[in-house]
Every structure is written in structure tokens, then in C-alpha cells.
Amino acid sequence: MIKKIDRKIFFILYNFTVGHELLSKLAIFMTKSSSKFFSLIYFAVGSYLIYNSDPRFRSFILIPAAVYLTVKLIPVLYNRQRPFAEYSLKNLVKQREDHSFPSTHTASSLIISLAVLNINPGLGVLMLGLAVITALSRIMVGVHYPSDILGAWLLALSTHFLGLIFL
């Protein structure tokens, strides 16, 4: 049943996107540029923390690193095919047909947003909004299922809060 719901939500978003040229272009732009944007902000804030010898630097580095390593390890144990490959759909962005679960873009954008939120709440809130848009764009361009996004969010949120407790 969950797989049916997952597939249904995917096709609603994907088909709506494919049917609207402007929305397709926006989703493609967001999914292609978001990783550069989040990386730039992450390195800028990290540099700021280093420059100021801020003790929050340790958790700022370790928590996102833990999320990234976990996201890269999961496909070794569970390799789910991407929706565009599984259903032979038009791929709106160039993407390998490798693992779909969990979404690396989604987990990275959320954990970076949460890390920045701890340093600068205003910028962090803006980035959280962009992280949600990034996650939706990954479904809209056909490279992830909604459950890939949900899994990435759960992983990032749980690692973030556990990291804050233990670091």
C-alpha cells in the first residue's frame, strides 16, 4: 500500500511538471543549482566559524559528515532503482540510474540548513525553505520517489538532533 501511495504521489508531481514548461524549467534549475548553493553557504559559514575559533565548528562539521556517510552507505544495503529508470520516463536532468533511496540532495540540503540554523537563525530558516523546494524538485524531475525524500529527511533530522545531544 505504501508503495502504491509513493508511486501515485510521484506520478502526480512528475506528470504535472512535465505538462508545464515553466515549472519544468524551474524544477530543473533548482535541482541542478541547489547543491552548489548549499555547498557555498556551508563552506562560507564553516570558514566564518574557523576564523572566529567558534566551538560550534565541531558539530557543524561532524553532523553533516555523519549524514553524508550514512546516505552513501544505505545504497550498499538497499539499492532501489530511480523512478525514471523503473518506468522508462523522460529524464528531465542527466542522472545516473543508480540508487534512489535516500536522496543525497535532500539529506544534504536539510542537514546543511539545520547546521546553519544553529549559527544564524534567519539564514537557516531561508535555507530550510530552499531545502523543501530542493526536495520537491527531485521528485518533479523524476529522479526520486516521495519516500526517498522522506527517508532523507528522517535521516537528517534524527542525526541532527542526536548530534546536538551527544556532541
Side-chain angles (χ1 to χ4, degrees):
M1 180 165 153
I2 292 173
K3 189 172 182 174
K4 279 180 134 180
I5 294 169
D6 201 28
R7 186 175 45 219
K8 185 172 182 95
I9 294 170
F10 167 78
F11 275 111
I12 289 169
L13 287 171
Y14 175 79
N15 288 333
F16 187 75
T17 303
V18 171
H20 296 84
E21 186 178 350
L22 178 60
L23 185 58
S24 291
K25 288 180 180 180
L26 288 171
I28 291 166
F29 172 78
M30 191 63 192
T31 204
K32 283 184 172 182
S33 61
S34 65
S35 59
K36 294 175 185 99
F37 170 77
F38 283 97
S39 296
L40 175 69
I41 298 297
Y42 183 68
F43 287 114
V45 173
S47 297
Y48 169 82
L49 294 173
I50 290 170
Y51 179 77
N52 290 300
S53 301
D54 194 310
R56 297 175 291 182
F57 179 74
R58 187 174 123 194
S59 62
F60 186 81
I61 293 296
L62 292 177
I63 296 170
V67 169
Y68 186 78
L69 291 173
T70 306
V71 164
K72 292 301 183 183
L73 177 65
I74 289 173
V76 173
L77 306 171
Y78 176 67
N79 191 6
R80 179 183 194 186
Q81 193 174 21
R82 292 184 184 271
F84 76 86
E86 184 173 347
Y87 298 108
S88 300
L89 301 172
K90 177 183 176 189
N91 189 3
L92 300 182
V93 293
K94 187 176 180 177
Q95 181 71 52
R96 296 183 316 262
E97 292 187 18
D98 63 351
H99 72 277
S100 176
F101 182 87
S103 168
T104 304
H105 275 82
T106 300
S108 297
S109 64
L110 181 59
I111 198 62
I112 290 170
S113 298
L114 291 169
V116 170
L117 183 69
N118 291 336
I119 309 301
N120 183 322
L123 180 58
V125 168
L126 173 67
M127 290 180 67
L128 284 171
L130 291 173
V132 170
I133 293 168
T134 296
L136 288 173
S137 76
R138 301 299 289 167
I139 301 168
M140 295 165 76
V141 299
V143 297
H144 285 291
Y145 290 100
S147 60
D148 300 336
I149 303 307
L150 184 59
W153 279 344
L154 291 173
L155 173 65
L157 285 168
S158 60
T159 305
H160 174 73
F161 290 116
L162 286 171
L164 291 179
I165 291 169
F166 293 108
L167 287 179

